[in-house]
Amino acid sequence: MMSYQMLQSFRAVILTGGSSGIGKSFIEHVGKLHPALVFFNLSRRPPEIKVPGLILRHFDCDLSNRAQIEAVCGELVGEIDREIPAGRILLINNSGFGTYGPFPEPNLARQLEMLEVNLCAPVQLTARLLPTLRAHGGAIVNIASTSAFQPTGHMATYGASKAFLLHWSLALSEELRGSGVHVLAVCPGPTSTQFFRSAGLDRSVVPDSVGQTPEEVVETTLHALARRRTMVVSGWKNKLLAALSSRLPKPLAARIAIRVIAHYRGTGGKTNA
Ligand SMILES: NC(=O)c1ccc[n+]([C@@H]2O[C@H](COP(=O)([O-])OP(=O)(O)OC[C@H]3O[C@@H](n4cnc5c(N)ncnc54)[C@H](OP(=O)(O)O)[C@@H]3O)[C@@H](O)[C@H]2O)c1
């Protein structure tokens, strides 16, 4: 109920990665709750969403390409100026992927691409859209991960990219306090999406009792937004693990995490391209 009321204050959602997983669930769930919302999606594939009457505009954008992001931001700001004269705007930096294996597997180019998508793209998008968000009022949601709470050997670059996103998000939240733009970092744990396959991981190594559905992550996000939280870990088991991990000395947390992650089985991987 509280989430529903909070959503009504928004007029538009700009999100990345609406073509799959958590992003797709977000469009489907929120589109049903608030059919008048206008969605702007940035990803390489268009979202296939079956919600009658949904207003969705897709921008083809490879978020590892800064020039493409720059061009799309120009179009996006122009479109919002023309079509959304008033009303709060929600920006969701959701696109991201991981890789599994000892650094730099699968290869250096893939590691650098991951940093572009997981970390540089949210920074660039947020910077370019911030004047619009300030003018309209609104919120920024950054999809981090429970990987942000400890160093993650065998997923070293991925975990560090999410630690960056979490700290950056919390710092931004303080800078923007009182500005009319609320910032929230969401930390999901293992969630049943394409994430595992694209990281070259076998999803079955994560017991179902631990994993969440993307819909549960979306619900958590909406609740946290309504409560004006600045950070939320999705699911009580993940909350517990994140709290424990944060309290350990970092070298010890790293020692434990690499052993846990080493149990993941590689599937040979599917590149996200
Ligand atoms: N699933 C989990 O267990 C889990 C846990 C913690 C955090 N997360 C985070 O949740 C977020 C969403 O992931 P998901 O679980 O929903 O995985 P997913 O189903 O694999 O979706 C990933 C999304 O990212 C987009 N993306 C990837 N590379 C891109 C690029 N170069 N340019 C534009 N978009 C790109 C994909 O869109 P296109 O392929 O169409 O471009 C896709 O929509 C990610 O940031 C991930 O790190 C996931």
Side-chain angles (χ1 to χ4, degrees):
M1 184 63 186
M2 199 173 164
S3 309
Y4 175 79
Q5 281 165 352
M6 173 276 301
L7 274 177
Q8 304 308 308
S9 68
F10 286 95
R11 182 73 188 88
V13 177
I14 303 166
L15 99 162
T16 63
S19 56
S20 174
I22 295 169
K24 184 174 179 186
S25 281
F26 197 91
I27 301 179
E28 285 172 344
H29 189 68
V30 173
K32 282 181 202 152
L33 285 176
H34 186 359
L37 266 180
V38 182
F39 288 88
F40 298 95
N41 171 66
L42 281 64
S43 55
R44 294 166 301 178
R45 294 164 296 153
E48 288 173 20
I49 311 275
K50 294 185 184 72
V51 177
L54 186 86
I55 313 165
L56 171 65
R57 171 98 161 78
H58 169 67
F59 292 87
D60 246 314
C61 185
D62 180 345
L63 293 170
S64 68
N65 184 319
R66 295 182 193 182
Q68 282 190 29
I69 297 177
E70 208 54 33
V72 165
C73 281
E75 275 185 65
L76 198 49
V77 168
E79 208 155 299
I80 287 172
D81 284 349
R82 276 193 308 279
E83 292 174 24
I84 320 271
R88 298 172 77 216
I89 294 176
L90 177 57
L91 167 64
I92 308 180
N93 289 305
N94 163 71
S95 277
F97 67 89
T99 59
Y100 173 79
F103 182 82
E105 284 184 12
N107 57 59
L108 177 59
R110 187 75 173 146
Q111 302 279 332
L112 295 174
E113 184 190 345
M114 184 175 17
L115 290 177
E116 288 292 339
V117 176
N118 294 9
L119 177 167
C120 297
V123 171
Q124 188 180 356
L125 267 175
T126 305
R128 292 286 282 108
L129 297 172
L130 195 53
T132 307
L133 284 164
R134 278 183 185 278
H136 283 252
I140 301 166
V141 172
N142 295 309
I143 306 294
S145 166
T146 49
S147 303
F149 293 102
Q150 64 286 300
T152 54
H154 294 313
M155 296 186 80
T157 307
Y158 176 73
S161 75
K162 293 300 181 178
F164 170 93
L165 199 58
L166 173 60
H167 282 222
W168 178 74
S169 189
L170 288 169
L172 210 61
S173 155
E174 292 309 316
E175 287 185 18
L176 290 171
R177 201 171 276 277
S179 70
V181 181
H182 169 216
V183 186
L184 166 68
V186 178
C187 301
T191 308
S192 48
T193 67
Q194 291 300 309
F195 176 86
F196 284 85
R197 200 165 80 89
S198 64
L201 282 165
D202 182 347
R203 173 70 180 81
S204 65
V205 294
V206 180
D208 281 345
S209 56
V210 173
Q212 285 201 301
T213 64
E215 291 76 19
E216 286 173 310
V217 176
V218 171
E219 278 290 349
T220 301
T221 304
L222 296 180
H223 269 86
L225 266 177
R227 285 169 176 71
R228 298 195 63 78
R229 302 272 304 275
T230 57
M231 181 185 100
V232 66
V233 176
S234 188
W236 70 266
K237 289 174 192 163
N238 294 323
K239 277 189 178 66
L240 191 64
L241 287 173
L244 284 174
S245 204
S246 311
R247 278 162 182 74
L248 290 176
K250 283 273 177 282
L252 178 58
R255 184 74 66 87
I256 296 170
I258 194 168
R259 288 184 183 175
V260 173
I261 296 169
H263 286 295
Y264 287 7
R265 288 190 300 274
T267 57
K270 163 197 164 277
T271 65
N272 220 22

